[in-house]
Amino acid sequence: MADDLAQRADRMLSLWSDLSMRHVALGGGCACGTGGISLRLEDFELDIVGYLEDVGLRCDVLEVVDFFNALQKSAAQDQPLRHLLHEVQQDRLPGVVAEWLLPKIERTLTSFFELHGAGAKG
């Protein structure tokens, strides 16, 4: 099972590496006449991890709640999504936590890919 999780985490790391460099235009069609704002998808990394943390702290799986409580108390990580995926890939998370976490990351990154992936501009 750990090998499967590691392979899935590796795929998600590759996908995030590709997606994080893409840009999203915000407000480009606005009637106010401003040129709009362009963000890299990487700018959403903290939001993704914040969402995972929020859901994790409210879930019924004690190991997941404990993991996110400990994560809140630890020093902030640069590139926290990559860090979580590396931890899964290297089998450094409790199996229950990795099995809870990875499907949520996969859904999130798949959604980003569908919106901003291969055929998207940016």
Side-chain angles (χ1 to χ4, degrees), residues 40-114:
R40 285 182 31 191
L41 285 174
E42 182 177 52
D43 295 328
F44 293 97
E45 188 165 359
L46 290 175
D47 296 321
I48 293 168
V49 174
Y51 160 76
L52 294 168
E53 183 178 290
D54 183 56
V55 173
L57 289 170
R58 293 184 290 118
C59 82
D60 295 331
V61 182
L62 183 59
E63 293 92 338
V64 173
V65 174
D66 290 345
F67 170 78
F68 281 107
N69 277 323
L71 190 65
Q72 281 185 330
K73 294 174 185 170
S74 67
Q77 293 283 334
D78 286 337
Q79 303 179 334
L81 183 59
R82 285 180 180 89
H83 176 74
L84 288 174
L85 288 168
H86 279 294
E87 293 295 295
V88 173
Q89 186 184 41
Q90 300 298 315
D91 196 24
R92 291 188 199 136
L93 295 182
V96 172
V97 174
E99 290 173 20
W100 181 92
L101 189 61
L102 198 56
K104 288 162 183 56
I105 293 173
E106 287 172 326
R107 279 194 303 275
T108 300
L109 296 188
T110 298
S111 176
F112 268 71
F113 180 75
E114 289 170 359

